[in-house]
Amino acid sequence: MQISVLGATGSIGQSTLDLVRQHPEQFLVRGLTAHQDVEGMLALIRTHRPALVAMADPQAAAALQAACRSAGFLNTEVLAGEDGLRAVAADPQTERVVAGIVGVAGLSSVWAAVTAGKTILLANKEALVCAGALLVDQARRCAATILPIDSEHNAMFQCLGADYRCFERPAGVQGLVLTASGGPFRTWAAADIDKADVAAAIAHPNWVMGRKISVDSASLANKGLEFIEAHWLFAMPADQIQVVVHPQSLIHSMVAFDDGSTLAQLGSPDMRTPIAHALAWPKRITAGVPALRWNQISRLDFEQPDLSKFPALAMAQSALASGPAATTIFNAANEQAVAQFLEGGMAFGMIPKAISETLSGLSHRFSPPSSLEEVFEIDRQARAYCGQRLKEALAR
Ligand code: NAD
Ligand code: MG
């Protein structure tokens, strides 16, 4: 099977390519994309010899092209910019596309893959959060198949059974139970969370991930994004999705059925398991992840999320209730605030404050977006607004 990986140099990309290396007889890398890491991409080209690569940054694309020539990789075509990403996503010979770009930056390539009717392994939850209704319609129109690889959604997808397809309302289901690790600040006092720095925020207790999603996990904004993602993927009303904190991250999520059964998917916190499930779907392959060892596990704990300490989760839920413009604003403000937090010099507590101010300052200005262009315009304005609020707050 020929696969393309969008965001190949990132954490999801690396886990995917590790699986490809484990199963060289089953998977062939057709296309790869990255933002600007020329050395990282060159190393991947050396290993996988893809026919197509794209760098979002045009200067990086030019540098990569030159590096490929001097290294003798003459069969790899190097594309540049958003058009290049979209060309890899929609490439006719690609059978499965792994959407592993972080943030709304991944939306236009996900859209291109959907429009080309691909089978898409979706990690890029921000695409669904920003453009859920539009993507669902487009996927139906273009007969695209979405296989969730965000671990929670992959877990629910597994629990829904072999015949289930995303975007259908699942029959006989009472609700979804979205589990959350609680992140590195689960047991911290609110005042300490407020002052936390970057090193503390990205030190996730169970998962090794990119920096942005690690910060989102610390604020529970990630669980808010995943709540919205679950709503769209499984056509599930918000009042039938509950969030439960489960600090061991062994249960990756659950589905409660009408007859009183609850099914859960369990495994080590290793993204290779959900990615392997979706790469091989509907079959199973090995992932290099051992099954849980029940002689080493003595308890599974659960608690309710503390929305006063982690207000970003509640904000995402109320944005979903307000409608698609609000979820786009929520995501944009979060991306902007997290990017500034990661640059340094800003306290962690400013992230939810900035999201809240952006939502209340902008939500009434927009009606639900009816095109991708409108989504990008809302995103642009919300980033600018949030950036300005943060600048003012930091100047005080
Ligand atoms: P990462 O930061 O490790 O990697 C991001 C990738 O996107 C890199 O290849 C980078 O080159 C590319 N990228 C970044 N900005 C870009 C831009 N402007 N244009 C084009 N490409 C760009 O991120 P990650 O942790 O792998 O997360 C990727 C996505 O998967 C996110 O949406 C995240 O929420 C989701 N996800 C990640 C994990 C995980 O374990 N890492 C788990 C579940 C879901
Ligand atoms: Mg997740």
Side-chain angles (χ1 to χ4, degrees), residues 12-345:
I12 290 289
Q14 283 172 18
S15 294
T16 305
L17 293 172
D18 180 85
L19 290 161
V20 170
R21 279 188 292 269
Q22 292 181 47
H23 299 279
E25 71 300 342
Q26 282 196 56
F27 303 109
L28 184 72
V29 175
R30 166 79 186 162
L32 298 173
T33 82
H35 186 203
Q36 52 192 9
D37 178 2
V38 174
E39 284 306 314
M41 183 56 97
L42 199 61
L44 296 180
I45 293 172
R46 189 167 289 121
T47 310
H48 298 283
R49 304 298 171 107
L52 282 176
V53 303
M55 301 299 280
D57 176 49
Q59 282 180 344
L64 182 67
Q65 175 117 50
C68 280
R69 251 188 251 118
S70 55
F73 302 142
L74 304 177
N75 296 325
T76 297
E77 186 182 352
V78 180
L79 307 172
E82 285 287 322
D83 285 345
L85 301 185
R86 283 193 290 263
V88 173
D91 162 64
Q93 294 195 45
T94 296
E95 291 158 88
R96 290 194 184 183
V97 179
V98 178
I101 293 178
V102 61
V104 73
L107 175 55
S108 78
S109 51
V110 166
W111 185 266
V114 165
T115 303
K118 297 290 179 201
T119 294
I120 299 148
L121 281 62
L122 187 73
N124 179 215
K125 63 194 90 184
E126 295 93 342
L128 264 186
V129 169
C130 292
L134 296 171
L135 273 172
V136 172
D137 281 354
Q138 186 75 347
R140 288 217 176 93
R141 212 174 2 246
C142 304
T145 302
I146 301 286
L147 302 173
I149 57 174
D150 202 352
S151 58
E152 296 78 1
H153 306 75
N154 181 269
M156 295 182 215
F157 183 71
Q158 292 197 43
C159 294
L160 286 168
D163 294 334
Y164 178 75
R165 297 294 175 272
C166 283
F167 307 139
E168 285 170 12
R169 180 76 188 269
V173 168
Q174 201 185 72
L176 305 174
V177 185
L178 180 62
T179 55
S181 69
F185 302 147
R186 183 176 61 88
T187 58
W188 287 34
D192 296 331
I193 298 174
D194 252 15
K195 292 183 296 215
D197 64 8
V198 173
I202 63 175
H204 197 281
N206 304 334
W207 295 92
V208 182
M209 309 181 285
R211 279 156 60 90
K212 189 262 180 184
I213 185 177
S214 296
V215 176
D216 288 353
S217 299
S219 67
L220 293 205
N222 182 51
K223 217 41 62 177
L225 297 170
E226 291 183 350
F227 190 92
I228 300 167
E229 181 186 15
H231 164 75
W232 291 117
L233 280 175
F234 306 116
M236 193 59 61
D239 62 359
Q240 287 169 258
I241 309 171
Q242 57 173 309
V243 177
V244 174
V245 174
H246 163 50
Q248 290 92 355
S249 294
L250 297 178
I251 296 179
H252 298 305
S253 275
M254 302 182 255
V255 176
F257 292 88
D258 286 340
D259 61 5
S261 301
T262 294
L263 297 189
Q265 185 263 354
L266 292 86
S268 293
D270 186 323
M271 287 307 292
R272 292 177 302 174
T273 295
I275 298 171
H277 171 262
L279 274 177
W281 180 86
K283 299 200 175 110
R284 297 269 180 179
I285 53 172
T286 55
V289 184
L292 293 179
R293 296 192 183 95
W294 288 98
N295 56 355
Q296 288 169 22
I297 297 167
S298 52
R299 53 193 283 178
L300 299 173
D301 292 300
F302 304 95
E303 59 194 49
Q304 292 305 302
D306 184 340
L307 297 178
S308 63
K309 281 198 321 192
F310 302 104
L313 171 57
M315 286 178 219
Q317 290 169 318
S318 64
L320 180 60
S322 309
T327 53
T328 309
I329 295 168
F330 172 85
N331 181 71
N334 182 55
E335 284 193 29
Q336 179 70 32
V338 170
Q340 278 183 242
F341 173 72
L342 284 170
E343 276 171 24

Side-chain angles (χ1 to χ4, degrees), residues 350-394:
M350 286 177 76
I351 297 173
K353 286 198 192 80
I355 301 172
S356 167
E357 284 184 29
T358 309
L359 276 168
S360 53
L362 282 190
S363 287
H364 60 279
R365 286 199 205 164
F366 299 103
S367 46
S370 57
S371 67
L372 266 206
E373 291 66 38
E374 286 178 31
V375 171
F376 288 127
E377 180 56 22
I378 297 171
D379 175 75
R380 195 188 60 72
Q381 290 196 36
R383 278 166 195 273
Y385 189 97
C386 181
Q388 188 60 33
R389 295 287 84 73
L390 282 169
K391 203 167 142 194
E392 288 163 14
L394 287 168

